[in-house]
């Protein structure tokens, strides 16, 4: 599938655009096959994921892989070079481009924080960005159900709100994101376990805030490989222009939806895609 010339815009979201995924047929069973596929296709660009599946019964023994890139340009180049090549096994592989992903098209899935870091490091360099925690607030309460019954609460809700700032010094961009995480703990729980769970909730809130900050940053990859950066915020009143002290005074606890931050771990299968079979 030929791609139109010009810059390619990448967002810090789970890649779901046209032409970013490849179907690799003809994999031979063996230890480390997923690692072999990942290593071979990583030569062409940053790979988001590799999923290995066993062939359906009617297709005979063997495996196939779904390889998802962040960049459709990288995926197209990998398909052209790797199709009908043996690569890491004796028999040649068949590689085609998935032209349309049939599911998850209505939802925009944010990348998790470690994937955001991976994408930023690849295109901006390890010194091309930095992050810091602006504020981390305990917004915990007690279990409302027990309170309404008039008894003593049996468990406590640990809930933390975090704000993280991401800075791209070479591009003059500063973006802030909010994250909320919560967990319930029994009041009779061991104090050490309570401290551990508190730390885990704080860490998760910070990770969600970092992901939120990256959502407003666009990577524009030019044909020559150079990368430009743009800022895009959908918020009516951006928090990015406020000082740290103004942000701390402004933050109020609202019913923030967490579903949008927890939708990344989908399972992919062959039935989720359609394919460009021109080269098969």
């Amino acid at each position: 599938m030929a791609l139109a010339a010009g810059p390619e815009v990448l967002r810090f979201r789970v890649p779901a655009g046209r032409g970013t995924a490849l179907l690799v047929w003809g994999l031979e069973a063996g230890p480390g096959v997923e690692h072999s596929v990942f290593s071979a296709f990583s030569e062409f660009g940053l790979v988001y994921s590799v999923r290995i599946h066993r062939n359906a019964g009617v297709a005979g023994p063997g495996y196939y892989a779904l390889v998802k890139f962040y960049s459709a340009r990288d995926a197209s180049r990998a398909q052209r070079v790797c199709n009908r090549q043996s690569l890491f096994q004796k028999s040649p592989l068949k590689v085609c481009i998935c032209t349309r992903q049939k599911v998850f098209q209505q939802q925009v899935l944010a990348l998790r924080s470690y994937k955001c870091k991976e994408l930023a490091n690849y295109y901006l360099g390890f010194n091309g960005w930095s992050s810091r925690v602006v504020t981390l607030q305990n917004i915990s309460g007690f279990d409302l159900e027990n309170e309404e019954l008039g008894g003593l609460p049996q468990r406590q809700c640990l809930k933390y709100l975090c704000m993280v700032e991401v800075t791209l010094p070479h591009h003059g961009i500063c973006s802030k994101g909010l994250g909320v995480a919560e967990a319930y703990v029994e009041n009779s729980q061991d104090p050490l376990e309570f401290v551990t769970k508190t730390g885990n909730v704080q860490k998760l809130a910070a990770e969600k805030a970092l992901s939120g900050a990256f959502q407003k940053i666009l990577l524009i990859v030019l044909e020559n490989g150079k990368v430009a950066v743009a800022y895009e915020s959908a918020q009516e009143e951006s928090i990015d222009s406020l000082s740290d002290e103004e942000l701390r005074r402004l933050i109020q606890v609202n019913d923030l939806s967490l579903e949008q931050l927890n939708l990344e771990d989908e399972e992919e299968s062959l039935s989720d895609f359609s394919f460009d079979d021109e080269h098969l």
Side-chain angles (χ1 to χ4, degrees), residues 77-229:
R77 186 161 57 93
Q79 188 280 326
R80 293 194 305 270
V81 175
C82 296
N83 188 35
R84 302 190 182 280
Q85 301 299 314
S86 300
L87 298 180
F88 48 82
Q89 62 181 36
K90 293 182 180 180
S91 59
L93 297 170
K94 296 180 180 179
V95 183
C96 71
I97 292 178
C98 306
T99 56
R100 182 169 59 90
Q101 190 171 350
K102 297 180 179 178
V103 295
F104 305 114
Q105 290 297 305
Q106 301 304 315
Q107 289 180 314
V108 176
L109 308 181
L111 284 180
R112 293 195 175 188
S113 60
Y114 75 98
K115 286 289 188 181
C116 289
K117 294 176 183 178
E118 182 180 69
L119 186 60
N121 288 338
Y122 185 85
Y123 284 101
L124 301 174
F126 290 92
N127 297 321
W129 67 279
S130 63
S131 65
R132 69 181 181 97
V133 174
V134 176
T135 183
L136 179 64
Q137 295 190 8
N138 186 341
I139 56 175
S140 303
F142 289 95
D143 184 70
L144 296 179
E145 180 179 351
N146 287 318
E147 289 184 340
E148 292 173 355
L149 294 176
L152 293 175
Q154 299 299 312
R155 59 178 184 167
Q156 181 179 357
C157 176
L158 288 175
K159 193 170 186 179
Y160 277 83
L161 180 148
C162 183
M163 176 176 289
V164 169
E165 178 186 75
V166 171
T167 303
L168 280 58
H170 303 309
H171 301 276
I173 288 179
C174 178
S175 176
K176 296 184 179 73
L178 287 172
V180 176
E182 64 180 3
Y184 282 96
V185 294
E186 301 297 329
N187 287 345
S188 59
Q189 192 169 25
D190 180 84
L192 181 59
E193 294 181 2
F194 181 86
V195 171
T196 300
K197 182 163 288 188
T198 299
N200 291 338
V201 172
Q202 293 174 339
K203 180 180 178 182
L204 181 57
E207 289 174 349
K208 291 181 176 181
L210 179 66
S211 175
F214 272 115
Q215 300 312 301
K216 295 177 279 186
I217 297 174
L218 305 180
L219 301 175
I220 304 170
V221 184
L222 307 179
E223 290 183 88
N224 59 7
K226 293 184 178 181
V227 179
V229 178

Side-chain angles (χ1 to χ4, degrees), residues 1-3 18-20 72 76 79-80 97-99 276 278-279:
M1 182 180 72
L3 294 176
R18 179 180 175 87
T20 56
S76 178
Q79 188 280 326
R80 293 194 305 270
I97 292 178
C98 306
T99 56
D276 179 0
E278 175 183 354
H279 303 285

